[in-house]
Amino acid sequence: MTSLEDVSIYLPPKSIPIDRALSDLDVPDAQIRLFQRFYGFSHIRRDPETPLVDQMLATAAGLTALRGREEHVRYVVQALTIPVCAPYPENPVHEVRRALGLDHAMAFCLTQHACATGLLAVDVCGKLLAGDDDPDAMALIFTGEKAYTAYAQRYIVDTAVMGEGMAAVLVRQGGERDRLLAFASRVHGQFNAAPWLPNELAREFDRMYPEALAEVILAALAQANLTLSEIVLILPHHVNHNSWKRLSKKIGMPIERIFLDNLSIMGHCYCADSFINYRTVREDGRLRRGDYYMMVSVGLGATFSAMVFQH
């Protein structure tokens, strides 16, 4: 059974009010006020002086379970929202692999599920490790990207403001905690042009969003043979607060059990949100041994994904 051996995060020290971040991109004042007053966004993290590779290495430095066990790492994976994460000819995942002394490991990127690719990476790495003869074999996954272009820094209309923040995840087979019990994912390909959808399709996506997200959440619960009442927390991706209220009403789950504390102060950190939230609730003591929780994310395009774990 796939499990999370360790999760470490890196948050840039610079916190920027979203009105300043978005005004630099010529976002209309009315849209900025909408994000602040109704969608729950206040600040984002940015670290313009620190290259992506250095951010990734800073994230990996917090993985205590990696120290002294580097020879067991079989894969180094970068889970990306945007296919190109650095200017040519830089190749961050290979640079990080060398810097960490993991030249023996295979390195590759995943991009197919946009902001849900982090969950996809956990599933893919678990399946790859299941065929390894070494019971201690691990995969190292990096999530989160650096907003190095105006395109990458842009907000998603009526959805999210993009910030910087990273998570490094060690995945293995076996393990005593954070065991992956179920994974459900569905692609609604008619929305593949997002975020540049024509108005009619954009309205249809907004209408079906809570229903599609509820579908994968309930499918993952069915796989795990659990009910929603047994889930202690949902660790979400950071899209606007209203969308989570709609989901809460749709599935009948109290909004207090959808962890939204980080949304206002971090923005949407690409694939890293759920893992950053995991570290927060674990450090705050909100997860006890044996608790069931979920990670949930949606990628533009449109991929809806949900995972069930037992802490």
Side-chain angles (χ1 to χ4, degrees), residues 70-277:
E70 289 83 358
E71 73 275 10
H72 295 295
V73 176
R74 297 290 181 267
Y75 307 97
V76 179
V77 181
Q78 191 173 15
L80 295 171
T81 294
I82 301 171
V84 179
C85 67
Y88 179 85
E90 294 181 19
N91 198 329
V93 69
H94 287 278
E95 291 184 47
V96 168
R97 178 182 62 168
R98 287 192 294 270
L100 294 176
L102 301 175
D103 286 326
H104 58 281
M106 178 182 294
F108 62 92
C109 295
L110 289 172
T111 66
Q112 291 86 350
H113 287 186
C115 287
T117 303
L119 302 187
L120 172 68
V122 171
D123 180 63
V124 168
C125 288
K127 289 174 178 174
L128 289 171
L129 293 170
D132 199 292
D133 293 333
D134 180 4
D136 297 317
M138 298 184 293
L140 172 56
I141 301 168
F142 289 95
T143 64
E145 289 156 64
K146 188 171 180 62
Y148 79 96
T149 66
Y151 167 75
Q153 293 177 43
R154 290 198 66 85
Y155 67 104
I156 306 171
V157 175
D158 294 333
T159 302
V161 182
M162 310 307 289
E164 292 183 17
M166 301 198 71
V169 185
L170 273 180
V171 173
R172 62 168 294 180
Q173 285 291 312
E176 297 183 357
R177 71 169 182 220
D178 297 309
R179 296 180 301 139
L180 174 59
L181 304 182
F183 175 45
S185 184
R186 182 176 177 185
V187 177
H188 295 262
Q190 68 269 36
F191 305 110
N192 68 88
W196 302 285
L197 293 172
N199 289 338
E200 183 177 346
L201 268 182
R203 287 192 295 268
E204 172 62 16
F205 180 73
D206 181 68
R207 183 201 63 77
M208 59 81 69
Y209 183 95
E211 179 179 337
L213 193 50
E215 178 189 18
V216 293
I217 288 173
L218 297 176
L221 287 171
Q223 286 182 33
N225 197 28
L226 296 171
T227 64
L228 194 60
S229 63
E230 295 175 275
I231 299 299
V232 172
L233 285 170
I234 288 179
L235 308 179
H237 67 311
H238 293 161
V239 294
N240 81 70
H241 200 282
N242 286 352
S243 69
W244 293 111
K245 289 181 180 178
R246 293 168 65 196
L247 176 75
S248 171
K249 183 177 180 180
K250 179 72 177 178
I251 63 178
M253 184 175 196
I255 191 69
E256 294 78 15
R257 285 162 54 198
I258 302 175
F259 183 76
L260 297 170
D261 295 22
N262 286 333
L263 185 153
S264 66
I265 59 175
M266 295 182 189
H268 182 19
C269 302
Y270 303 92
C271 295
D273 292 338
S274 292
F275 302 103
I276 292 173
N277 289 332

Side-chain angles (χ1 to χ4, degrees), residues 57-73:
L57 290 173
T59 312
L63 291 171
T64 57
L66 179 61
R67 297 169 193 165
R69 302 170 65 192
E70 289 83 358
E71 73 275 10
H72 295 295
V73 176

